[in-house]
Coordinates of all heavy atoms in Angstrom, one line a residue:
M293 N 8.4 -112.3 230.9 CA 9.3 -111.1 231.2 C 9.7 -110.4 230.0 O 9.7 -109.2 229.9 CB 10.5 -111.6 232.0 CG 11.4 -110.5 232.5 SD 10.6 -109.6 233.8 CE 11.9 -108.5 234.2
G294 N 10.0 -111.1 228.9 CA 10.4 -110.5 227.7 C 9.3 -109.6 227.1 O 9.6 -108.6 226.4
D295 N 8.1 -110.0 227.3 CA 6.9 -109.3 226.7 C 6.9 -107.9 227.4 O 6.7 -106.9 226.7 CB 5.6 -110.0 227.0 CG 4.5 -109.7 226.0 OD1 4.9 -109.3 224.9 OD2 3.4 -109.8 226.4
I296 N 7.1 -107.8 228.7 CA 7.1 -106.5 229.4 C 8.3 -105.6 228.9 O 8.1 -104.4 228.7 CB 7.2 -106.7 230.9 CG1 6.0 -107.5 231.4 CG2 7.5 -105.4 231.7 CD1 6.1 -107.9 232.9
L297 N 9.4 -106.2 228.7 CA 10.6 -105.5 228.2 C 10.3 -105.0 226.8 O 10.7 -103.8 226.5 CB 11.8 -106.3 228.2 CG 12.4 -106.6 229.6 CD1 13.6 -107.6 229.5 CD2 12.8 -105.4 230.4
D298 N 9.7 -105.8 226.0 CA 9.4 -105.3 224.6 C 8.4 -104.1 224.6 O 8.6 -103.2 223.9 CB 8.7 -106.5 223.8 CG 9.7 -107.6 223.5 OD1 10.9 -107.3 223.6 OD2 9.3 -108.7 223.1
K299 N 7.4 -104.2 225.5 CA 6.5 -103.1 225.6 C 7.1 -101.8 226.1 O 6.9 -100.7 225.6 CB 5.3 -103.5 226.5 CG 4.3 -104.4 225.8 CD 3.1 -104.8 226.6 CE 2.3 -105.8 225.9 NZ 1.1 -106.1 226.6
A300 N 8.0 -102.0 227.1 CA 8.7 -100.8 227.6 C 9.7 -100.2 226.6 O 9.7 -99.0 226.4 CB 9.5 -101.2 228.9
T301 N 10.3 -101.1 225.9 CA 11.2 -100.6 224.8 C 10.5 -99.8 223.7 O 10.9 -98.8 223.3 CB 12.0 -101.8 224.2 OG1 12.7 -102.4 225.2 CG2 13.0 -101.3 223.1
A302 N 9.3 -100.4 223.3 CA 8.5 -99.7 222.3 C 8.0 -98.3 222.8 O 8.0 -97.4 222.0 CB 7.3 -100.6 222.0
L303 N 7.6 -98.3 224.1 CA 7.2 -97.0 224.6 C 8.3 -96.0 224.6 O 8.1 -94.8 224.3 CB 6.6 -97.2 226.0 CG 6.1 -96.0 226.7 CD1 4.9 -95.4 226.0 CD2 5.7 -96.3 228.2
I304 N 9.5 -96.4 225.0 CA 10.6 -95.5 225.1 C 11.0 -95.0 223.7 O 11.3 -93.9 223.4 CB 11.9 -96.2 225.7 CG1 11.6 -96.3 227.2 CG2 13.1 -95.4 225.5 CD1 12.5 -97.3 228.0
R305 N 11.0 -96.0 222.7 CA 11.3 -95.6 221.3 C 10.3 -94.6 220.8 O 10.7 -93.6 220.1 CB 11.2 -96.8 220.4 CG 12.5 -97.7 220.3 CD 12.3 -98.8 219.3 NE 12.1 -98.4 218.0 CZ 11.5 -99.1 217.1 NH1 11.0 -100.3 217.3 NH2 11.3 -98.6 215.8
C306 N 9.0 -94.8 221.2 CA 8.0 -93.8 220.7 C 8.2 -92.4 221.3 O 8.2 -91.4 220.6 CB 6.6 -94.4 221.1 SG 5.3 -93.5 220.3
K307 N 8.5 -92.4 222.6 CA 8.6 -91.1 223.3 C 9.9 -90.4 222.9 O 10.0 -89.2 222.9 CB 8.6 -91.3 224.8 CG 7.2 -91.5 225.3 CD 7.1 -91.3 226.8 CE 5.6 -91.5 227.2 NZ 5.4 -91.1 228.5
D308 N 10.9 -91.1 222.4 CA 12.2 -90.5 221.9 C 12.1 -90.1 220.5 O 12.9 -89.4 220.0 CB 13.3 -91.5 222.1 CG 13.8 -91.7 223.5 OD1 13.4 -90.8 224.4 OD2 14.4 -92.7 223.8
C309 N 11.0 -90.5 219.8 CA 10.9 -90.3 218.4 C 10.6 -88.8 218.2 O 9.7 -88.2 218.9 CB 9.7 -91.1 217.8 SG 9.4 -90.9 216.0
P310 N 11.2 -88.1 217.2 CA 10.9 -86.7 216.9 C 9.5 -86.5 216.4 O 9.0 -85.3 216.5 CB 11.9 -86.3 215.9 CG 12.5 -87.6 215.3 CD 12.3 -88.6 216.3
W311 N 8.8 -87.5 216.0 CA 7.4 -87.4 215.5 C 6.4 -87.6 216.7 O 5.2 -87.6 216.5 CB 7.2 -88.5 214.5 CG 7.9 -88.4 213.2 CD1 9.2 -88.4 213.0 CD2 7.2 -88.1 212.0 NE1 9.4 -88.3 211.6 CE2 8.3 -88.1 211.0 CE3 5.9 -88.0 211.6 CZ2 8.0 -87.9 209.7 CZ3 5.7 -87.8 210.2 CH2 6.7 -87.8 209.3
Y312 N 6.9 -87.7 217.9 CA 6.0 -88.1 219.1 C 4.6 -87.5 219.0 O 4.5 -86.3 218.9 CB 6.7 -87.8 220.4 CG 6.0 -88.2 221.6 CD1 5.7 -89.6 221.8 CD2 5.6 -87.3 222.6 CE1 5.0 -90.0 222.9 CE2 4.9 -87.7 223.7 CZ 4.6 -89.1 223.9 OH 3.9 -89.5 225.0
K313 N 3.6 -88.4 219.0 CA 2.2 -88.0 219.0 C 1.8 -87.4 217.7 O 0.7 -86.8 217.6 CB 1.8 -87.1 220.2 CG 1.9 -87.9 221.5 CD 1.2 -87.1 222.6 CE 1.2 -87.9 223.9 NZ 0.6 -87.2 225.0
N314 N 2.6 -87.4 216.7 CA 2.3 -87.0 215.3 C 2.7 -88.0 214.4 O 3.5 -87.8 213.4 CB 3.0 -85.6 215.0 CG 2.4 -84.5 215.8 OD1 1.3 -84.2 215.8 ND2 3.3 -83.9 216.6
C315 N 2.3 -89.3 214.6 CA 2.8 -90.4 213.8 C 2.6 -90.4 212.3 O 3.4 -90.9 211.6 CB 2.1 -91.7 214.4 SG 2.5 -91.9 216.2
V316 N 1.5 -89.7 211.9 CA 1.2 -89.7 210.5 C 0.8 -88.3 210.1 O 0.0 -87.7 210.8 CB 0.0 -90.7 210.2 CG1 -0.3 -90.6 208.7 CG2 0.4 -92.1 210.6
T317 N 1.3 -87.8 209.0 CA 0.9 -86.5 208.5 C 0.8 -86.5 207.0 O 1.5 -87.3 206.4 CB 2.0 -85.4 208.9 OG1 3.2 -85.7 208.3 CG2 2.2 -85.2 210.4
P318 N 0.0 -85.7 206.5 CA -0.2 -85.7 205.0 C 1.2 -85.2 204.4 O 1.9 -84.4 204.9 CB -1.2 -84.6 204.7 CG -2.0 -84.5 206.0 CD -1.0 -84.8 207.1
M319 N 1.5 -85.8 203.2 CA 2.7 -85.4 202.5 C 2.6 -84.0 202.1 O 1.6 -83.5 201.6 CB 2.8 -86.3 201.2 CG 4.0 -86.0 200.4 SD 5.5 -86.6 201.1 CE 5.4 -88.3 200.7
Q320 N 3.6 -83.2 202.3 CA 3.7 -81.8 201.9 C 4.8 -81.6 200.9 O 5.9 -81.9 201.1 CB 4.0 -80.9 203.2 CG 3.0 -81.0 204.2 CD 1.6 -80.4 203.8 OE1 1.6 -79.4 203.1 NE2 0.5 -81.1 204.2
I321 N 4.4 -81.1 199.7 CA 5.4 -80.8 198.7 C 5.3 -79.3 198.5 O 4.3 -78.7 198.1 CB 5.1 -81.5 197.4 CG1 5.1 -83.0 197.6 CG2 6.0 -81.1 196.3 CD1 4.7 -83.9 196.5
S322 N 6.4 -78.6 198.8 CA 6.4 -77.2 198.8 C 6.8 -76.6 197.4 O 7.3 -77.3 196.6 CB 7.4 -76.6 199.9 OG 8.7 -77.0 199.5
A323 N 6.6 -75.3 197.3 CA 7.1 -74.7 196.1 C 8.6 -74.8 195.9 O 9.1 -74.8 194.8 CB 6.6 -73.2 196.1
E324 N 9.3 -74.8 197.1 CA 10.7 -74.9 197.0 C 11.1 -76.3 196.5 O 12.1 -76.4 195.7 CB 11.3 -74.8 198.5 CG 12.8 -74.8 198.6 CD 13.3 -74.7 200.0 OE1 12.8 -73.8 200.7 OE2 14.2 -75.4 200.4
D325 N 10.4 -77.3 196.9 CA 10.7 -78.7 196.3 C 10.5 -78.7 194.8 O 11.4 -79.3 194.1 CB 9.8 -79.7 196.9 CG 10.0 -79.9 198.4 OD1 11.1 -79.7 198.9 OD2 9.0 -80.2 199.1
I326 N 9.5 -78.1 194.3 CA 9.2 -78.1 192.9 C 10.3 -77.2 192.2 O 10.8 -77.5 191.1 CB 7.8 -77.6 192.6 CG1 6.8 -78.6 193.1 CG2 7.6 -77.3 191.1 CD1 5.4 -78.2 193.0
G327 N 10.7 -76.1 192.9 CA 11.7 -75.3 192.3 C 13.1 -76.0 192.2 O 13.8 -75.8 191.2
Q328 N 13.4 -76.8 193.2 CA 14.6 -77.6 193.1 C 14.6 -78.6 191.9 O 15.6 -78.8 191.3 CB 14.9 -78.4 194.4 CG 15.3 -77.5 195.5 CD 15.5 -78.2 196.8 OE1 15.1 -79.4 197.0 NE2 16.1 -77.6 197.8
F329 N 13.4 -79.2 191.7 CA 13.3 -80.1 190.6 C 13.5 -79.4 189.3 O 14.1 -79.8 188.4 CB 11.9 -80.8 190.6 CG 11.7 -81.7 189.5 CD1 12.4 -83.0 189.5 CD2 11.0 -81.4 188.4 CE1 12.2 -83.8 188.4 CE2 10.8 -82.2 187.3 CZ 11.4 -83.5 187.3
R330 N 12.9 -78.2 189.2 CA 13.0 -77.4 188.0 C 14.5 -77.1 187.7 O 15.0 -77.1 186.6 CB 12.2 -76.1 188.1 CG 10.8 -76.3 187.8 CD 10.0 -75.0 187.7 NE 8.6 -75.2 187.4 CZ 7.6 -74.6 188.0 NH1 7.9 -73.7 188.9 NH2 6.4 -74.9 187.7
L331 N 15.2 -76.8 188.8 CA 16.7 -76.5 188.6 C 17.4 -77.7 188.1 O 18.3 -77.6 187.2 CB 17.2 -76.1 190.0 CG 18.3 -75.0 190.0 CD1 17.7 -73.7 190.1 CD2 19.3 -75.3 191.1
M332 N 17.0 -78.9 188.6 CA 17.7 -80.1 188.1 C 17.3 -80.3 186.7 O 18.1 -80.8 185.9 CB 17.2 -81.3 189.0 CG 17.8 -81.3 190.3 SD 17.2 -82.6 191.5 CE 16.4 -83.8 190.5
M333 N 16.1 -80.0 186.3 CA 15.6 -80.2 184.9 C 16.4 -79.3 183.9 O 16.7 -79.7 182.8 CB 14.1 -80.0 184.8 CG 13.3 -81.0 185.4 SD 13.5 -82.7 184.7 CE 12.9 -82.4 183.1
Q334 N 16.7 -78.1 184.4 CA 17.4 -77.1 183.6 C 18.8 -77.7 183.3 O 19.4 -77.5 182.2 CB 17.5 -75.8 184.2 CG 16.2 -75.0 184.2 CD 16.3 -73.7 185.0 OE1 17.3 -73.4 185.7 NE2 15.2 -73.0 185.0
K335 N 19.4 -78.4 184.2 CA 20.8 -78.9 184.1 C 20.8 -80.2 183.2 O 21.8 -80.6 182.7 CB 21.4 -79.2 185.4 CG 21.6 -77.9 186.2 CD 22.2 -78.2 187.6 CE 22.4 -77.0 188.4 NZ 22.8 -77.3 189.8
A336 N 19.6 -80.8 183.1 CA 19.5 -82.1 182.4 C 19.7 -81.8 180.9 O 19.3 -80.8 180.4 CB 18.2 -82.8 182.7
D337 N 20.2 -82.8 180.2 CA 20.4 -82.6 178.7 C 19.2 -83.2 178.0 O 19.3 -84.3 177.4 CB 21.7 -83.3 178.3 CG 22.1 -83.0 176.9 OD1 21.7 -82.0 176.4 OD2 22.8 -83.9 176.3
L338 N 18.1 -82.5 178.1 CA 16.9 -83.0 177.4 C 16.3 -81.9 176.5 O 16.6 -80.7 176.8 CB 15.8 -83.3 178.5 CG 16.0 -84.5 179.4 CD1 15.0 -84.5 180.5 CD2 16.0 -85.8 178.7
P339 N 15.6 -82.3 175.5 CA 15.0 -81.2 174.6 C 14.0 -80.4 175.5 O 13.4 -80.9 176.5 CB 14.2 -82.0 173.6 CG 14.7 -83.4 173.7 CD 15.3 -83.6 175.0
E340 N 13.8 -79.1 175.1 CA 13.0 -78.2 175.9 C 11.6 -78.7 176.0 O 10.9 -78.6 177.1 CB 13.0 -76.8 175.3 CG 12.6 -75.7 176.2 CD 13.5 -75.6 177.4 OE1 14.7 -75.8 177.4 OE2 12.9 -75.4 178.5
S341 N 11.0 -79.3 174.9 CA 9.7 -79.8 175.0 C 9.5 -80.9 176.0 O 8.5 -81.0 176.7 CB 9.2 -80.3 173.6 OG 10.0 -81.4 173.2
A342 N 10.5 -81.8 176.1 CA 10.5 -82.9 177.0 C 10.5 -82.4 178.5 O 9.8 -82.9 179.4 CB 11.6 -83.9 176.8
K343 N 11.4 -81.3 178.7 CA 11.5 -80.7 180.0 C 10.1 -80.2 180.5 O 9.7 -80.4 181.6 CB 12.5 -79.6 180.0 CG 14.0 -80.1 180.0 CD 14.9 -78.9 180.0 CE 16.3 -79.4 179.8 NZ 17.3 -78.3 179.9
S344 N 9.5 -79.5 179.6 CA 8.2 -78.9 180.0 C 7.1 -79.9 180.3 O 6.3 -79.8 181.2 CB 7.7 -77.8 179.0 OG 7.2 -78.5 177.8
E345 N 7.1 -81.0 179.4 CA 6.2 -82.1 179.7 C 6.4 -82.8 181.0 O 5.5 -83.1 181.8 CB 6.3 -83.1 178.5 CG 5.6 -82.7 177.3 CD 5.7 -83.7 176.2 OE1 5.5 -84.9 176.5 OE2 5.8 -83.4 175.0
I346 N 7.7 -83.0 181.3 CA 8.1 -83.6 182.6 C 7.7 -82.7 183.8 O 7.2 -83.2 184.8 CB 9.6 -84.0 182.6 CG1 9.8 -85.1 181.6 CG2 10.0 -84.4 184.0 CD1 11.3 -85.5 181.4
E347 N 8.0 -81.4 183.6 CA 7.6 -80.5 184.7 C 6.1 -80.5 184.9 O 5.7 -80.5 186.1 CB 8.0 -79.1 184.3 CG 9.5 -78.8 184.6 CD 9.8 -77.3 184.4 OE1 9.0 -76.4 184.6 OE2 10.9 -77.1 183.9
N348 N 5.3 -80.4 183.9 CA 3.8 -80.4 184.0 C 3.4 -81.7 184.7 O 2.5 -81.7 185.5 CB 3.2 -80.3 182.6 CG 3.3 -78.9 182.1 OD1 3.6 -77.9 182.8 ND2 3.2 -78.8 180.8
A349 N 3.9 -82.8 184.3 CA 3.6 -84.1 184.9 C 3.9 -84.1 186.3 O 3.1 -84.6 187.2 CB 4.3 -85.3 184.1
L350 N 5.1 -83.6 186.7 CA 5.5 -83.6 188.1 C 4.6 -82.8 188.9 O 4.3 -83.1 190.1 CB 7.0 -83.2 188.2 CG 7.5 -83.1 189.6 CD1 7.7 -84.6 190.1 CD2 8.7 -82.3 189.8
E351 N 4.2 -81.6 188.4 CA 3.4 -80.7 189.2 C 2.0 -81.4 189.4 O 1.4 -81.3 190.5 CB 3.2 -79.4 188.5 CG 4.4 -78.5 188.6 CD 4.3 -77.2 187.9 OE1 3.1 -76.8 187.5 OE2 5.3 -76.5 187.7
G352 N 1.5 -82.1 188.4 CA 0.2 -82.9 188.6 C 0.4 -84.0 189.6 O -0.5 -84.1 190.5
I353 N 1.5 -84.7 189.6 CA 1.7 -85.7 190.6 C 1.9 -85.2 192.0 O 1.4 -85.7 192.9 CB 3.0 -86.6 190.2 CG1 2.7 -87.4 188.9 CG2 3.4 -87.5 191.3 CD1 3.9 -88.0 188.3
A354 N 2.6 -84.1 192.1 CA 2.8 -83.4 193.4 C 1.5 -83.0 194.0 O 1.2 -83.2 195.2 CB 3.7 -82.2 193.2
S355 N 0.6 -82.4 193.1 CA -0.7 -82.0 193.6 C -1.6 -83.2 194.1 O -2.2 -83.1 195.1 CB -1.4 -81.2 192.5 OG -2.7 -80.9 192.9
M356 N -1.6 -84.2 193.3 CA -2.4 -85.4 193.7 C -1.8 -86.1 194.9 O -2.5 -86.6 195.7 CB -2.4 -86.4 192.5 CG -3.3 -86.1 191.4 SD -3.4 -87.4 190.1 CE -2.1 -88.5 190.4
S357 N -0.5 -86.2 195.0 CA 0.1 -86.9 196.1 C -0.2 -86.3 197.5 O -0.2 -87.0 198.4 CB 1.7 -87.0 195.9 OG 2.3 -85.7 196.1
Q358 N -0.4 -85.0 197.5 CA -0.7 -84.4 198.8 C -2.1 -84.9 199.3 O -2.3 -84.8 200.5 CB -0.7 -82.9 198.7 CG 0.7 -82.4 198.4 CD 0.8 -80.9 198.5 OE1 0.4 -80.3 199.4 NE2 1.4 -80.3 197.4
D359 N -2.9 -85.4 198.5 CA -4.2 -85.9 198.9 C -4.2 -87.4 199.1 O -5.1 -88.0 199.6 CB -5.3 -85.6 197.9 CG -5.6 -84.1 197.8 OD1 -5.4 -83.4 198.8 OD2 -6.0 -83.6 196.7
M360 N -3.1 -88.1 198.6 CA -3.1 -89.5 198.6 C -2.0 -90.2 199.5 O -2.1 -91.3 199.9 CB -3.0 -90.1 197.2 CG -4.1 -89.7 196.3 SD -3.9 -90.1 194.6 CE -3.4 -91.8 194.6
L361 N -0.9 -89.4 199.8 CA 0.2 -90.0 200.4 C 0.4 -89.4 201.8 O 0.0 -88.3 202.1 CB 1.5 -89.7 199.7 CG 1.6 -90.3 198.2 CD1 2.9 -89.8 197.6 CD2 1.5 -91.8 198.3
L362 N 0.9 -90.3 202.7 CA 1.2 -89.9 204.1 C 2.6 -90.1 204.4 O 3.2 -91.0 203.9 CB 0.3 -90.7 205.1 CG -1.2 -90.6 205.0 CD1 -1.9 -91.6 205.9 CD2 -1.6 -89.2 205.3
Q363 N 3.1 -89.3 205.3 CA 4.5 -89.5 205.8 C 4.2 -90.1 207.2 O 3.3 -89.6 207.9 CB 5.2 -88.2 206.0 CG 5.5 -87.5 204.7 CD 6.1 -86.1 204.9 OE1 5.6 -85.3 205.7 NE2 7.3 -85.9 204.3
S364 N 5.0 -91.1 207.6 CA 4.8 -91.6 209.0 C 6.2 -91.7 209.7 O 7.2 -91.9 209.0 CB 4.1 -93.0 208.9 OG 5.0 -93.9 208.3
C365 N 6.1 -91.7 211.0 CA 7.3 -91.8 211.8 C 7.9 -93.2 211.6 O 7.1 -94.2 211.4 CB 7.1 -91.4 213.2 SG 6.4 -92.8 214.2
P366 N 9.2 -93.4 211.8 CA 9.8 -94.7 211.7 C 9.2 -95.8 212.7 O 9.1 -96.9 212.4 CB 11.3 -94.5 211.9 CG 11.4 -93.1 212.4 CD 10.1 -92.4 212.1
V367 N 8.8 -95.3 213.9 CA 8.3 -96.2 214.9 C 6.9 -96.8 214.4 O 6.7 -98.0 214.5 CB 8.2 -95.6 216.3 CG1 7.5 -96.5 217.3 CG2 9.6 -95.1 216.8
F368 N 6.1 -95.9 214.0 CA 4.8 -96.3 213.5 C 4.9 -97.2 212.3 O 4.2 -98.2 212.2 CB 4.0 -95.0 213.1 CG 2.5 -95.3 212.7 CD1 1.6 -95.8 213.6 CD2 2.2 -95.1 211.3 CE1 0.3 -96.0 213.2 CE2 0.9 -95.4 210.9 CZ -0.1 -95.8 211.8
T369 N 5.8 -96.9 211.3 CA 6.0 -97.7 210.2 C 6.4 -99.1 210.6 O 5.9 -100.1 210.1 CB 7.0 -97.1 209.2 OG1 6.5 -95.8 208.9 CG2 7.2 -97.9 208.0
Q370 N 7.4 -99.2 211.5 CA 7.9 -100.5 212.0 C 6.8 -101.3 212.6 O 6.7 -102.5 212.4 CB 9.1 -100.3 212.9 CG 9.8 -101.6 213.2 CD 10.4 -102.2 212.0 OE1 10.9 -101.5 211.1 NE2 10.3 -103.5 211.9
R371 N 6.0 -100.6 213.4 CA 4.9 -101.3 214.1 C 3.9 -101.9 213.1 O 3.4 -103.0 213.3 CB 4.2 -100.4 215.1 CG 5.1 -100.1 216.3 CD 4.4 -99.2 217.3 NE 5.3 -99.0 218.4 CZ 5.0 -98.1 219.4 NH1 3.9 -97.4 219.4 NH2 5.9 -98.0 220.4
L372 N 3.6 -101.1 212.1 CA 2.7 -101.6 211.1 C 3.3 -102.8 210.3 O 2.5 -103.8 210.0 CB 2.3 -100.6 210.0 CG 1.3 -99.5 210.5 CD1 1.2 -98.4 209.4 CD2 0.0 -100.1 210.8
K373 N 4.5 -102.8 210.1 CA 5.2 -103.9 209.4 C 5.2 -105.2 210.3 O 5.1 -106.3 209.8 CB 6.6 -103.5 209.0 CG 6.7 -102.6 207.8 CD 8.1 -102.2 207.5 CE 8.2 -101.2 206.4 NZ 9.6 -100.8 206.2
E374 N 5.4 -105.0 211.6 CA 5.6 -106.1 212.5 C 4.2 -106.7 212.9 O 4.2 -107.9 213.3 CB 6.3 -105.7 213.7 CG 7.8 -105.4 213.5 CD 8.5 -104.7 214.7 OE1 7.8 -104.4 215.7 OE2 9.7 -104.5 214.6
D375 N 3.2 -105.9 212.8 CA 1.9 -106.4 213.3 C 0.8 -106.2 212.3 O 0.1 -105.1 212.3 CB 1.6 -105.6 214.6 CG 0.4 -106.1 215.4 OD1 -0.3 -107.1 214.8 OD2 0.1 -105.6 216.4
P376 N 0.5 -107.2 211.5 CA -0.6 -107.0 210.5 C -1.9 -106.8 211.1 O -2.8 -106.2 210.5 CB -0.6 -108.4 209.7 CG 0.7 -109.1 210.1 CD 1.2 -108.4 211.4
K377 N -2.1 -107.3 212.4 CA -3.4 -107.1 213.0 C -3.6 -105.6 213.3 O -4.8 -105.1 213.3 CB -3.5 -107.9 214.3 CG -3.6 -109.4 214.1 CD -3.6 -110.1 215.4 CE -3.7 -111.6 215.2 NZ -3.7 -112.4 216.4
L378 N -2.6 -104.9 213.6 CA -2.7 -103.4 213.9 C -3.1 -102.7 212.6 O -4.0 -101.9 212.7 CB -1.3 -102.9 214.3 CG -1.2 -101.4 214.5 CD1 -2.2 -100.9 215.5 CD2 0.2 -101.0 214.8
A379 N -2.5 -103.1 211.5 CA -2.9 -102.4 210.2 C -4.4 -102.8 209.9 O -5.1 -101.9 209.5 CB -2.0 -102.9 209.1
Q380 N -4.8 -104.0 210.2 CA -6.2 -104.4 210.0 C -7.2 -103.6 210.9 O -8.2 -103.1 210.4 CB -6.4 -105.9 210.2 CG -7.8 -106.4 209.9 CD -8.2 -106.2 208.4 OE1 -7.4 -106.3 207.5 NE2 -9.5 -105.9 208.2
R381 N -6.8 -103.4 212.1 CA -7.6 -102.6 213.1 C -7.8 -101.2 212.6 O -8.9 -100.6 212.7 CB -7.1 -102.7 214.5 CG -7.3 -104.0 215.1 CD -7.0 -104.1 216.6 NE -6.4 -103.0 217.3 CZ -5.2 -103.0 218.0 NH1 -4.6 -104.2 218.1 NH2 -4.7 -102.0 218.5
I382 N -6.7 -100.6 212.1 CA -6.7 -99.2 211.7 C -7.6 -99.1 210.4 O -8.4 -98.2 210.3 CB -5.3 -98.7 211.4 CG1 -4.5 -98.6 212.7 CG2 -5.4 -97.4 210.6 CD1 -3.0 -98.3 212.5
K383 N -7.5 -100.1 209.5 CA -8.3 -100.1 208.3 C -9.8 -100.2 208.7 O -10.6 -99.5 208.2 CB -7.9 -101.3 207.5 CG -8.7 -101.5 206.2 CD -8.3 -102.7 205.4 CE -9.1 -103.0 204.2 NZ -8.7 -104.2 203.5
E384 N -10.1 -101.1 209.6 CA -11.5 -101.2 210.1 C -12.0 -100.0 210.7 O -13.2 -99.6 210.5 CB -11.7 -102.4 211.0 CG -11.5 -103.8 210.3 CD -11.4 -104.9 211.3 OE1 -11.5 -104.7 212.5 OE2 -11.2 -106.1 210.8
M385 N -11.2 -99.3 211.5 CA -11.6 -98.0 212.1 C -11.9 -97.0 211.1 O -12.9 -96.3 211.2 CB -10.5 -97.5 213.0 CG -10.4 -98.2 214.3 SD -8.9 -97.7 215.3 CE -8.9 -95.9 215.2
M386 N -11.1 -96.9 210.0 CA -11.3 -96.0 209.0 C -12.6 -96.3 208.2 O -13.3 -95.4 207.8 CB -10.1 -95.9 208.0 CG -8.9 -95.3 208.7 SD -9.1 -93.7 209.4 CE -9.4 -92.7 208.0
Q387 N -12.8 -97.6 207.9 CA -14.0 -98.0 207.2 C -15.3 -97.7 207.9 O -16.4 -97.5 207.3 CB -13.9 -99.5 206.8 CG -12.9 -99.8 205.8 CD -12.7 -101.3 205.6 OE1 -13.0 -102.1 206.4 NE2 -12.2 -101.6 204.4
H388 N -15.2 -97.7 209.2 CA -16.4 -97.4 210.1 C -16.4 -96.1 210.8 O -17.1 -95.9 211.7 CB -16.6 -98.6 211.1 CG -16.7 -99.9 210.5 ND1 -17.8 -100.3 209.7 CD2 -15.8 -100.9 210.4 CE1 -17.5 -101.6 209.3 NE2 -16.4 -102.0 209.7
W389 N -15.6 -95.2 210.2 CA -15.5 -93.8 210.8 C -16.8 -93.1 210.9 O -17.6 -93.0 209.9 CB -14.5 -93.0 209.9 CG -14.1 -91.7 210.6 CD1 -14.7 -90.5 210.5 CD2 -12.9 -91.6 211.4 NE1 -14.0 -89.6 211.2 CE2 -12.9 -90.2 211.8 CE3 -11.9 -92.4 211.8 CZ2 -11.9 -89.7 212.5 CZ3 -10.9 -91.9 212.6 CH2 -10.9 -90.5 213.0
G390 N -17.2 -92.6 212.0 CA -18.4 -91.9 212.2 C -19.7 -92.7 212.4 O -20.7 -92.1 212.7
E391 N -19.6 -94.0 212.3 CA -20.8 -94.8 212.5 C -21.3 -94.8 213.9 O -22.5 -94.8 214.1 CB -20.5 -96.3 212.0 CG -20.4 -96.4 210.5 CD -20.2 -97.9 210.1 OE1 -20.2 -98.8 211.0 OE2 -20.0 -98.1 208.9
E392 N -20.4 -94.7 214.9 CA -20.8 -94.6 216.3 C -21.7 -93.4 216.5 O -22.6 -93.4 217.3 CB -19.6 -94.6 217.2 CG -18.8 -95.9 217.2 CD -17.8 -96.0 216.1 OE1 -17.4 -95.0 215.6 OE2 -17.5 -97.1 215.7
E393 N -21.3 -92.3 215.9 CA -22.0 -91.0 216.1 C -23.4 -91.1 215.5 O -24.4 -90.6 216.1 CB -21.2 -89.8 215.4 CG -19.9 -89.5 216.1 CD -19.1 -88.5 215.4 OE1 -19.7 -87.9 214.4 OE2 -18.0 -88.3 215.7
E394 N -23.5 -91.7 214.3 CA -24.8 -91.9 213.7 C -25.7 -92.8 214.5 O -26.9 -92.6 214.5 CB -24.6 -92.4 212.3 CG -24.0 -91.4 211.3 CD -23.7 -92.0 209.9 OE1 -24.3 -93.1 209.6 OE2 -23.0 -91.4 209.2
Q395 N -25.2 -93.9 215.1 CA -25.9 -94.8 215.9 C -26.5 -94.1 217.1 O -27.5 -94.5 217.6 CB -25.1 -96.0 216.2 CG -24.8 -96.9 215.0 CD -23.9 -98.1 215.4 OE1 -23.5 -98.2 216.5 NE2 -23.7 -98.9 214.4
G396 N -25.7 -93.2 217.7 CA -26.1 -92.5 218.9 C -27.2 -91.5 218.7 O -27.9 -91.1 219.7
K397 N -27.5 -91.1 217.5 CA -28.6 -90.1 217.2 C -29.9 -90.7 217.3 O -30.2 -91.8 217.1 CB -28.4 -89.5 215.8 CG -27.2 -88.6 215.8 CD -27.0 -87.9 214.4 CE -25.8 -87.0 214.4 NZ -25.6 -86.4 213.1

């Protein structure tokens, strides 16, 4: 009986989640985010050369992170933490992405 309740609770949590059906999205760093960081850097008591180096490094990291990082909903994150088999299944799906289409040709 507890198993059924756990599944029902998980379904309700998922449907109540503001991320519903959009569990994972690429990380988005906007120009506004970078602008806020620049504002913080201006207030920091650092030499001007250090500020520009840090700004350049941050812009590079921000650019790379959009291709490498994902944001996920709290329900999806919790499910991955609780179920290593789920993470393994997702990994296998990604490793074999498109192979079914190639086999069908």
